[in-house]
Amino acid sequence: MALVPPLLVVAALLPLALPLGGAAGDLHPVVLVPGYASNRLEATLTAAYEPPAPACAGRQGLWFPLWPNHTATRDASQVPCFADQMSLVYDAGADDYRNADGVVTRVPSFGSARALIGWDQLVRQLEGMGYRDGETLLAAPYDFRYAVAPRGHPSAVGGRYFRDLGRLIRASGLRRGRPAVLVAHSFGCALTYQFLLSRPLPWRRRHVKHVVFLGSALGGFAPGMYVLAAGTDYGLPGVTRPSMLRLARSQQSALWRLPTPLVFGDRPLAVTRSGTYTARNMSAFLDAIGFPDGVRQYQTRVLPMWEALPPPMVPVTSVIGVGIRTPETYVFGADGFEGEPEVVYGDGDGDINLVSLAAVEDWAGVEGQAMEVVRLPGVHHGGFFSVDAAVERVVDEIRRAAGGSIELDRKFSI
């Protein structure tokens, strides 16, 4: 599932400010939107499920953890089950994605910050400021395999998530009498951004006080191409290449990670003996890696959503990590896309390229769009939740966002 340099670029890690207000009633509610792998998924199987291996049977009617899947980590016989149950199916007739036949999934504990993976340190710091889980501190986890689609294309799961997220934001503000601060990470930033654009401007300004993006990638990133070419094993042992490719290519969200022409332009991203692929010839890349079905989905369901990056017209703080070697170009040898490429590195946060982290830099010049950018040198894409100084800085930015340190121009207020 990035943002920018100037208007205000702050490179130093400053000390924390004093807590806001004195009582829980003074707090603007905070809604957390996690990145890709920070969500939990549960699954159950129906009689329609056809197991790919004997070990995959026997869970009909019982809910079990699908992600993270510690069973598959410990038991190699469960790896084919995970690969099968985690994959999606694109239904061309319905023009939408769905689970494999007989697989039912759910996202547990929507609304609770306790549902998020890896956010514990940040959540504890916010609770130390007076926030309370389920009251002033809320979370909106999602099924990270899905995304949303442009007008004219159905997206049942993504559309339902946007409705749930809108109700959560609205209810949190009504309960407290104050608009919410949204804090999103990684792929969650892309979802949050598209969610804001999908809501009328008066709604945004009435219910959203401020948005804090952490390591956003609104222009995609080069490693997104490599995952589609090589597949993904989710860190599990013994995943076959066909299963790795199915896991990567069946997910709607995978195409959202591809570098966009708007941001990456003609930069070389993948180089083979037969040609060079950029964001401008992404369809040719998808054909070349043997993923022709992805071409139409990319052209009709993904690209139209990222042809422009209009500002959301609510105050935004973008916190980005910089100064870490990040894959920028993949050079494939004689074995083509099945071989291990040579990697050319550039700047970024280790996962997201700097050009994508800086994708919304122009927002700073738009009248009525309050914008701040905070650069944290040496902080990796996941370091916002594990590096003490970075966690403290993120908490400080949330504190400032809730306290209104960046105000929208009055003549644009609702």
Side-chain angles (χ1 to χ4, degrees):
M1 197 165 116
L3 278 111
V4 309
L7 171 66
L8 213 68
V9 177
V10 186
L13 296 176
L14 301 179
L16 287 173
L18 293 175
L20 279 174
D26 296 333
L27 299 173
H28 285 268
V30 169
V31 178
L32 309 176
V33 184
Y36 184 88
S38 292
N39 302 274
R40 300 180 189 275
L41 291 181
E42 294 179 345
T44 189
L45 307 177
T46 72
Y49 182 65
E50 297 184 3
C56 306
R59 286 185 163 182
Q60 279 77 5
L62 301 174
W63 288 98
F64 58 91
L66 182 59
W67 177 261
N69 196 311
H70 301 299
T71 301
T73 302
R74 296 188 301 265
D75 183 355
S77 71
Q78 289 294 316
V79 171
C81 314
F82 170 79
D84 188 59
Q85 296 156 10
M86 191 74 164
S87 298
L88 296 181
V89 174
Y90 175 69
D91 187 330
D95 185 27
D96 203 358
Y97 290 81
R98 60 173 175 80
N99 282 317
D101 290 339
V103 179
V104 181
T105 53
R106 68 184 183 188
V107 179
S109 305
F110 185 86
S112 172
R114 303 298 181 194
L116 307 186
I117 300 171
W119 287 58
D120 299 19
Q121 188 174 350
L122 180 61
V123 168
R124 284 196 300 270
Q125 293 239 20
L126 291 173
E127 289 177 335
M129 291 168 54
Y131 283 96
R132 294 293 176 264
D133 184 41
E135 299 178 14
T136 49
L137 181 60
L138 303 150
Y142 52 89
D143 189 332
F144 52 85
R145 302 171 301 164
Y146 293 90
V148 292
R151 290 183 182 275
H153 295 274
S155 183
V157 174
R160 184 166 59 249
Y161 175 70
F162 272 17
R163 291 190 295 273
D164 290 344
L165 177 58
R167 283 193 288 264
L168 184 68
I169 293 170
R170 185 173 181 274
S172 69
L174 292 176
R175 189 183 308 125
R176 310 301 305 181
R178 293 168 176 264
V181 174
L182 309 185
V183 180
H185 177 239
S186 193
F187 184 62
C189 297
L191 288 175
T192 299
Y193 172 68
Q194 291 292 347
F195 166 79
L196 291 170
L197 295 186
S198 74
R199 293 303 184 264
L201 183 57
W203 189 98
R204 291 177 238 165
R205 289 182 170 162
R206 185 176 301 120
H207 299 295
V208 179
K209 185 179 192 300
H210 203 110
V211 179
V212 179
F213 284 148
L214 308 175
S216 171
L218 301 192
F221 51 103
M225 295 177 69
Y226 179 68
V227 169
L228 285 179
T232 183
D233 60 10
Y234 284 92
L236 300 178
V239 183
T240 63
R241 178 172 170 79
S243 293
M244 289 173 63
L245 292 174
R246 181 187 176 195
L247 279 167
R249 297 177 183 181
S250 72
Q251 297 188 14
Q252 182 184 7
S253 58
L255 293 172
W256 270 41
R257 298 196 288 271
L258 291 174
T260 65
L262 176 69
V263 172
F264 282 82
D266 293 317
R267 290 174 174 82
L269 301 169
V271 179
T272 69
R273 294 189 175 185
S274 60
T276 297
Y277 300 94
T278 72
R280 297 194 191 280
N281 64 351
M282 194 60 68
S283 295
F285 168 77
L286 294 173
D287 262 330
I289 63 173
F291 188 25
D293 291 344
V295 174
R296 181 177 178 274
Q297 298 160 32
Y298 171 73
Q299 292 177 341
T300 61
R301 297 177 60 90
V302 179
L303 197 55
M305 303 194 72
W306 300 103
E307 289 178 326
L309 289 175
M313 303 309 293
V314 293
V316 173
T317 297
S318 169
V319 186
I320 64 175
V322 296
I324 296 181
R325 290 198 336 154
T326 304
E328 197 166 82
T329 305
Y330 294 89
V331 182
F332 294 87
D335 293 331
F337 292 111
E338 294 190 11
E340 194 68 26
E342 176 186 346
V343 181
V344 179
Y345 292 89
D347 199 357
D349 67 7
D351 289 341
I352 312 301
N353 308 99
L354 183 58
V355 65
S356 190
L357 292 168
V360 295
E361 188 172 40
D362 289 344
W363 289 359
V366 176
E367 187 178 14
Q369 176 60 64
M371 183 77 202
E372 180 181 4
V373 178
V374 178
R375 289 190 176 194
L376 303 182
V379 173
H380 191 273
H381 189 63
F384 303 111
F385 312 106
S386 58
V387 177
D388 289 346
V391 174
E392 290 181 354
R393 187 54 193 266
V394 169
V395 171
D396 195 33
E397 293 305 324
I398 296 171
R399 187 195 315 266
R400 294 178 63 236
S405 58
I406 300 178
E407 291 290 342
L408 203 62
D409 192 316
R410 289 300 177 201
K411 65 183 177 183
F412 290 93
S413 298
I414 297 299

